[in-house]
Amino acid sequence: MPDRGGGPTGPRVRVGRPSRRARTLLMTLGVLAVLAMLFVMFAGFWTDWLWYRSLHYSSVFSTTLKTKIGLFFVFGVLMATAVGINIWLAHRLRPPLSAMSMEQQSLDRYRMGIAPFKKWVLLAVTALVGLIAGASAAGQWRIWLLWVNGVPFGQKDPQFHKDVAFYAFDLPWYRFLLSFGFAATVLSLIAAALVHYLYGGLRVTSPGARATAAATGHLSVLLGVFVALKAVAYWLDRYGLAVKSSDFKATGNWTGLRYVDANAYLPAKTILFCIAAICAVLFFATLWRRTWQLPVIGFGLMVLSAILIGGLYPAIVQKFQVQPNEQAKEAPYIQKNIEATRKAYGIDDSKVADYSGKNDSDGGGEKLRKDANTTASYRLIDPSVISPTFQQLQQERKYYQFPSTLDVDRYKGADGKDQDTVVGVRELNLDGIPKRNWINDHFTYTHGYGMVAAKGTTTDPNADPAGSPDFTESGLPTKGSSGGGVGTYKQQVYYGEKTDQYSIVGGPQKELDYEKNGERTTSYKGKSGVSLSNPVNRAAYAVAFGEPQILYSGAIGDGSRILYNRTPKERVEKVAPWLTIDGDAYPAVVHGRIKWIVDAYTTTNGYPYASRTTLGDSTADSLSNGDRSVVAQQNKVNYIRNSVKATVDAYDGTVKLYEWDSKDPVLKTWEKAFPGTVEPKEKISGELMEHLRYPQDLFKVQRELLTRYHVTDPTQFYSGSDAWQVPEDPTHKEGNAVPPYYLSMRMPDQKGQTFSLTTTFTPNGRPNLGAFMSIDADANSKDYGTIRLLKVTSNVPGPQQVQSELNGDPEVAEFVRNLRGTDSDIEYGNLLTVPLDNGFLYIEPVYARGGSANYPLLKKVGVSYGKETVFKDTLGEALDAVFGESSAQRPPGDGGQEEPPSSDNPTVKDALKDAQEAYQDAQDALQKQPQDWEAYGRAQEDLKDALDRAAKAEGKAAGDKQGQQQNQPRSQSAGGGSDKKGG
């Protein structure tokens, strides 16, 4: 061969080996990369620690961290030890000589390749499974803390007579231990089998025995452990039946035992437990018998039993015992489900009363008008509509904003009495900053300013344009009016619902602020946030926020502090990660500071027999959005309590947690886990107590459950004949549920008005009113949290029907035509429903939007009571009209005004009412079991007769009006729309 390298005397060139300088550079870069990765990990940990410490909740951080680390190491080591010992044992039990076969010759190459690295392979495998298992276990920190700190409920389930705490706190932890045991056993079994195969203990194609005695014994023990764990699983499954979810046509989502569970699955699980225990003993016996014959037979028997006893037998019981007489068989279990569900959701003490829904009292319109004045404070300013008006009239600067839905609270009026007040905080809006840059976004524009308030029941009579809110707190800076106000308070808003960016305050760079004479600069004086004077802190936040300028910017110096995690919900959720947060934090002025009040819940999905609900579905309504949705909305729960009231200071971000439900065992458990984080209820000041209210999300969950669980008789519950539904919001086109409304009102059994949260129900699949629900929402009331249900016993129009009737009113049609002529449009406010003298009073504010004022202004008020619906300029006029001469005391056709050819004609109304009642009678006849076809036939005849009468009356009224119009001057007949009777 020719010499291609220059001969033996030529220079040698080392190919592929880097120089010393290059190796040094590569090593340095590698070390720097590792250090950078470590610092990134450190930055996340360090900034979290600093944030918790700044809020004085470092114990939450340390307890959570220690728990996660403890679980990670304990279960990581357990998993690594279990797998490692079995790998080591399988290697130790390898046969001294392997059979001569092609299979073993192929494996010899792998054995020889692994031989020098056996210890490293063992270490790598055990470390990998240990890390995975540890990370999985660390995620179970909540389950561990609940188990180790569990407090008894003092209530026992009706099947096994165990305290509810066993299902809420103990059973989840036992199931985790069981799943960990299964994982460790399966991984050990796979690893041991691979080692035995690699070293000849197991053979697939080699001649002779398929397994050595040592391999047989080792794997049999592991299989025995697996089957023993399966026996434990069967035993725990017995208790799991009490919290098992299933579909049941009577309830939809069912939790707990049914007839087939108690009489088929429960004994089947017990039998399978015994079979699995025997099968496990047979596997362990192979240590002496050295044969798999008996354990394999036992295992096959267990599998067959699981199919026959655990699957086929319950299906037979369901088919031939339950289905022929399901109502009678399931009745005792439905009763248990009803009682548990009502107790778990706090609806078991609801006060239910029948309510006519139709006024039949003496006194006529005069008495009704007088009672209407005292029954409720009718909120005409709709917080979900009026936000653009606040924005237009009180924004003051483009870089401020109000939330899309305002809040309702109570403040003292000029007369010293509480009045319902619509409030909104003027928060920062970065999109409105004149010039966007890093300094402006994070140093100059750092906070909102002030809270604006308006009376909830009236508009400003002197405002231009008319229909504007009557502000009791307004301006920049804000100040109170003669009609009330919120008092003197610190107006800077550094923490709010819309404040989701970080700000750096207190340093050399000044912030934009306000005083009486206009704009000024300021520097934050609060103790909130984390100091950036330390270069380590600056570097950590530069990495954590991905913003290198934090490290070297001259705008940061002595006194600089970084504020982040600034929304009230986010702050409360982080300091109390075991709480579920309500979707609506609301502001209140307390002790001269704006405080965000946040309702928080303790929940569990382990309450036996109580039906589960998904929080996101139950709390959704027409106002739900990203800002007003419950935190952890996908959680399925079957127990919930408003156990904590929290406050967040809008200036310094201080978070306070107050115990609210001192009897809640879930709260007591978490208080044991995180001692000192929740302050006792006695620490709530009187001024703060005045602004606390019943939370909307809990109310919405309860009303969703009450659509079915207002029924306590299992037979009626099973039939579903009295099921309700939450009606769709008639003022929105999306078809979502109507939201609950806060207003001060008096229920029939109450002596005076109380700040309340209300909603309506309609019968399932029907539009008429089925029930009205109110809850005492005033935290100072002795009846706080009392649920009152009025079950409507007559045919009363529901919200959608009232809205349709209002939409069809001629005055509304004329009003809409006039608006469109000015390039404006109509916008309906909240449709309030108030019980009044055995009837229901509906009140709806109507806003105009567009033209010269492109924001909602209150222009009209619609009122409906009984058969009367009116549409007037003010609430007083509307109430006068609906209870005036046109009420029941006025004879039909009297009053000197023409009757339009429509259902406003009393004869037509009476006929249509009879038709509706006949239709309802027909539906009721079909709902009966068995169906009453004779009654259905009579109802159909009554329906036809009523419709014929309505048609005749309509035709006569139309003819009368045509004759009147022919005799009127053209100028009069051309006028726009006739008034209703009494209008």
Side-chain angles (χ1 to χ4, degrees):
M1 295 291 290
D3 184 359
R4 299 177 183 271
T9 60
R12 287 188 178 180
V13 179
R14 297 182 178 180
V15 180
R17 186 176 181 181
S19 65
R20 178 178 298 178
R21 180 178 297 178
R23 291 199 305 271
T24 303
L25 178 60
L26 290 173
M27 185 177 296
T28 302
L29 291 175
V31 171
L32 290 176
V34 171
L35 290 175
M37 293 176 60
L38 291 175
F39 189 79
V40 169
M41 297 172 60
F42 166 79
F45 162 81
W46 185 242
T47 52
D48 280 348
W49 162 253
L50 292 173
W51 186 86
Y52 277 97
R53 190 179 66 173
S54 71
L55 277 172
H56 307 292
Y57 280 93
S58 55
S59 61
V60 174
F61 179 82
S62 58
T63 299
T64 305
L65 183 64
K66 286 188 293 186
T67 304
K68 290 179 178 179
I69 292 174
L71 291 172
F72 177 86
F73 277 105
V74 169
F75 286 93
V77 169
L78 285 175
M79 180 66 77
T81 301
V83 175
I85 287 177
N86 280 282
I87 291 175
W88 173 82
L89 187 59
H91 179 266
R92 186 178 179 86
L93 295 176
R94 67 191 185 280
L97 296 174
S98 57
M100 297 300 297
S101 65
M102 293 297 296
E103 178 185 19
Q104 292 303 314
Q105 290 177 10
S106 298
L107 292 174
D108 279 341
R109 293 196 297 269
Y110 293 104
R111 287 195 289 266
M112 293 174 63
I114 293 174
F117 311 104
K118 285 191 293 187
K119 292 182 179 180
W120 291 106
V121 171
L122 176 62
L123 182 62
V125 171
T126 54
L128 178 62
V129 297
L131 288 172
I132 295 173
S136 175
Q140 307 300 319
W141 64 272
R142 289 181 176 85
I143 295 177
W144 160 259
L145 289 176
L146 286 172
W147 178 70
V148 78
N149 297 288
V151 172
F153 275 66
Q155 304 166 20
K156 296 187 176 182
D157 78 284
Q159 181 66 42
F160 302 103
H161 307 292
K162 285 186 170 292
D163 192 276
V164 172
F166 170 79
Y167 301 94
F169 307 144
D170 299 344
L171 191 58
W173 178 249
Y174 297 153
R175 282 176 164 168
F176 165 71
L177 292 179
L178 187 63
S179 64
F180 179 83
F182 274 122
T185 304
V186 170
L187 288 175
S188 297
L189 185 61
I190 293 172
L194 288 174
V195 174
H196 280 300
Y197 175 70
L198 183 64
Y199 287 94
L202 291 178
R203 308 183 187 102
V204 177
T205 61
S206 300
R210 297 299 183 194
T212 63
T216 300
H218 184 194
L219 298 179
S220 295
V221 169
L222 289 175
L223 288 170
V225 171
F226 179 87
V227 177
L229 290 173
K230 188 62 181 174
V232 176
Y234 282 132
W235 188 257
L236 289 181
D237 284 347
R238 298 169 67 255
Y239 301 110
L241 293 172
V243 290
K244 183 192 73 171
S245 291
S246 60
D247 290 329
F248 185 35
K249 70 177 183 180
T251 64
N253 180 18
W254 171 275
T255 300
L257 287 86
R258 291 158 52 191
Y259 181 90
V260 69
D261 297 311
N263 295 277
Y265 280 111
L266 185 57
K269 297 291 183 183
T270 305
I271 295 171
L272 289 171
F273 162 75
C274 296
I275 294 174
I278 294 171
C279 187
V281 172
L282 292 177
F283 273 106
F284 293 139
T286 56
L287 286 173
W288 296 275
R289 292 181 53 85
R290 303 295 183 181
T291 176
W292 280 353
Q293 184 176 6
L294 285 179
V296 168
I297 293 174
F299 187 79
L301 177 62
M302 186 181 76
V303 174
L304 183 62
S305 300
I307 295 173
L308 296 178
I309 302 175
L312 185 59
Y313 173 62
I316 292 174
V317 171
Q318 178 69 24
K319 179 71 175 178
F320 295 102
Q321 290 190 31
V322 178
Q323 288 186 5
N325 192 18
E326 187 173 52
Q327 180 174 304
K329 294 289 187 183
E330 300 289 10
Y333 304 96
I334 294 176
Q335 186 66 51
K336 295 175 184 177
N337 177 265
I338 291 173
E339 292 174 359
T341 302
R342 288 171 60 88
K343 185 171 293 184
Y345 289 94
I347 58 177
D348 51 326
D349 292 329
S350 303
K351 294 184 177 181
V352 183
D354 289 338
Y355 189 77
S356 169
K358 293 186 177 180
N359 174 260
D360 54 4
S361 61
D362 297 330
E366 184 178 350
K367 180 180 183 300
L368 289 171
R369 181 66 180 89
K370 182 179 179 181
D371 291 345
N373 283 339
T374 59
T375 296
S377 298
Y378 307 102
R379 182 166 47 74
L380 301 180
I381 303 302
D382 185 349
S384 65
V385 173
I386 208 69
S387 178
T389 308
F390 271 52
Q391 191 82 359
Q392 180 68 30
L393 301 180
Q394 293 296 325
Q395 180 188 21
E396 301 291 349
R397 301 290 188 274
K398 290 183 64 176
Y399 42 82
Y400 289 135
Q401 63 179 329
F402 291 95
S404 58
T405 300
L406 303 175
D407 289 290
V408 179
D409 202 349
R410 295 142 292 159
Y411 288 93
K412 301 293 184 184
D415 57 0
K417 296 181 180 179
D418 284 345
Q419 64 180 11
D420 292 357
T421 305
V422 176
V423 298
V425 170
R426 189 188 284 118
E427 295 192 48
L428 186 65
N429 177 20
L430 290 180
D431 293 334
I433 294 177
K435 184 178 181 181
R436 297 292 302 273
N437 55 55
W438 188 65
I439 293 294
N440 278 346
D441 287 359
H442 301 288
F443 291 82
T444 305
Y445 297 89
T446 59
H447 58 277
Y449 207 93
M451 187 172 79
V452 176
K455 295 179 181 179
T457 55
T458 61
T459 57
D460 187 350
N462 301 317
D464 184 20
S468 299
D470 189 357
F471 291 106
T472 58
E473 190 79 20
S474 59
L476 181 67
T478 68
K479 60 181 180 179
S481 68
S482 59
V486 300
T488 303
Y489 65 100
K490 198 166 191 62
Q491 300 198 16
Q492 289 89 347
V493 180
Y494 283 89
Y495 296 87
E497 291 181 293
K498 297 291 187 179
T499 314
D500 54 7
Q501 80 286 350
Y502 72 88
S503 289
I504 299 175
V505 298
Q509 182 70 37
K510 298 299 182 179
E511 310 162 44
L512 180 67
D513 200 61
Y514 290 90
E515 59 183 0
K516 293 181 180 179
N517 299 325
E519 293 185 6
R520 68 182 180 102
T521 59
T522 189
S523 187
Y524 183 66
K525 298 298 190 296
K527 299 298 183 182
S528 181
V530 178
S531 173
L532 293 180
S533 58
N534 186 326
V536 175
N537 290 359
R538 293 178 66 170
Y541 279 102
V543 171
F545 287 2
E547 184 51 72
Q549 293 186 78
I550 294 177
L551 185 60
Y552 56 79
S553 174
I556 301 175
D558 291 340
S560 292
R561 310 178 70 85
I562 185 167
L563 313 180
Y564 61 105
N565 294 336
R566 298 169 70 182
T567 67
K569 287 191 291 185
E570 186 178 21
R571 292 179 79 79
V572 175
E573 186 185 24
K574 285 185 72 68
V575 302
W578 37 274
L579 290 173
T580 299
I581 311 303
D582 189 271
D584 183 27
Y586 60 97
V589 173
V590 180
H591 301 302
R593 303 289 278 264
I594 298 177
K595 302 279 189 179
W596 292 98
I597 300 175
V598 182
D599 285 288
Y601 311 107
T602 48
T603 63
T604 180
N605 65 353
Y607 197 101
Y609 272 104
S611 290
R612 290 184 172 89
T613 185
T614 303
L615 291 180
D617 296 338
S618 298
T619 58
D621 60 31
S622 62
L623 301 182
S624 298
N625 54 43
D627 296 325
R628 296 177 68 91
S629 58
V630 65
V631 175
Q633 59 180 319
Q634 297 306 314
N635 281 12
K636 279 186 173 291
V637 304
N638 66 355
Y639 171 94
I640 186 170
R641 290 291 185 272
N642 177 212
S643 53
V644 171
K645 300 284 188 180
T647 63
V648 177
D649 192 294
Y651 181 72
D652 62 19
T654 301
V655 178
K656 293 287 187 181
L657 305 177
Y658 297 101
E659 182 184 66
W660 186 248
D661 188 346
S662 57
K663 297 180 180 179
D664 176 29
V666 182
L667 175 61
K668 291 179 180 178
T669 298
W670 285 119
E671 286 180 317
K672 284 181 63 179
F674 297 96
T677 56
V678 181
E679 299 188 23
K681 189 174 183 179
E682 293 73 24
K683 291 291 186 71
I684 300 176
S685 67
E687 189 172 346
L688 174 59
M689 187 72 77
E690 291 179 359
H691 296 280
L692 299 183
R693 67 190 192 188
Y694 201 84
Q696 291 189 69
D697 283 341
L698 177 58
F699 181 85
K700 287 188 279 189
V701 169
Q702 290 174 324
R703 76 170 178 179
E704 181 66 28
L705 269 296
L706 281 169
T707 58
R708 292 170 290 144
Y709 286 93
H710 67 278
V711 177
T712 56
D713 177 72
T715 302
Q716 187 180 14
F717 188 92
Y718 177 86
S719 68
S721 59
D722 196 23
W724 300 334
Q725 64 185 13
V726 178
E728 295 178 356
D729 189 348
T731 66
H732 287 70
K733 298 179 181 180
E734 292 79 6
N736 296 321
V738 63
Y741 297 124
Y742 286 107
L743 76 156
S744 295
M745 59 165 292
R746 172 170 54 85
M747 289 288 280
D749 64 333
Q750 293 179 302
K751 295 182 180 179
Q753 293 183 20
T754 302
F755 189 66
S756 305
L757 193 54
T758 67
T759 193
T760 55
F761 297 100
T762 58
N764 201 13
R766 289 155 51 195
N768 55 291
L769 193 63
F772 178 83
M773 175 182 174
S774 171
I775 197 162
D776 195 329
D778 186 351
N780 278 316
S781 172
K782 62 181 179 61
D783 291 331
Y784 172 84
T786 300
I787 297 175
R788 292 177 171 86
L789 278 172
L790 301 179
K791 297 179 67 174
V792 181
T793 58
S794 57
N795 196 351
V796 177
Q800 198 71 49
Q801 293 172 310
V802 171
Q803 186 68 52
S804 297
E805 186 171 352
L806 181 63
N807 292 344
D809 191 290
E811 292 186 57
V812 176
E814 181 182 4
F815 179 67
V816 172
R817 283 196 301 271
N818 293 336
L819 284 180
R820 289 175 178 168
T822 61
D823 197 24
S824 302
D825 207 350
I826 191 172
E827 192 166 343
Y828 290 107
N830 37 227
L831 179 59
L832 302 176
T833 308
V834 177
L836 176 65
D837 288 5
N838 291 324
F840 284 99
L841 177 66
Y842 288 96
I843 293 180
E844 183 172 42
V846 179
Y847 298 82
R849 181 170 186 165
S852 59
N854 193 23
Y855 50 91
L857 295 170
L858 182 64
K859 293 298 184 183
K860 295 281 187 177
V861 180
V863 173
S864 177
Y865 187 82
K867 299 178 181 179
E868 297 294 331
T869 299
V870 298
F871 186 69
K872 298 298 177 184
D873 291 336
T874 67
L875 176 61
E877 292 177 8
L879 291 175
D880 288 341
V882 83
F883 296 129
E885 187 182 2
S886 61
S887 63
Q889 63 191 21
R890 175 184 173 185
D894 191 23
Q897 293 190 5
E898 57 178 311
E899 290 290 344
S902 69
S903 59
D904 291 332
N905 186 302
T907 306
V908 176
K909 280 189 172 182
D910 292 341
L912 291 178
K913 171 179 173 295
D914 293 341
Q916 193 171 20
E917 291 178 351
Y919 173 79
Q920 184 57 50
D921 292 340
Q923 296 301 309
D924 292 342
L926 293 176
Q927 291 288 338
K928 292 182 178 180
Q929 299 293 335
Q931 293 172 328
D932 190 343
W933 293 107
E934 183 177 352
Y936 178 79
R938 291 196 302 269
Q940 290 295 313
E941 293 176 359
D942 293 342
L943 176 62
K944 182 178 183 303
D945 176 68
L947 292 176
D948 288 343
R949 286 190 284 113
K952 291 178 181 178
E954 183 83 8
K956 182 178 183 303
D960 292 344
K961 181 175 182 181
Q962 183 177 5
Q964 292 173 359
Q965 290 178 338
Q966 290 174 351
N967 295 325
Q968 288 177 344
R970 178 178 298 272
S971 60
Q972 182 178 356
S973 62
S978 303
D979 287 341
K980 279 182 173 288
K981 290 175 63 178

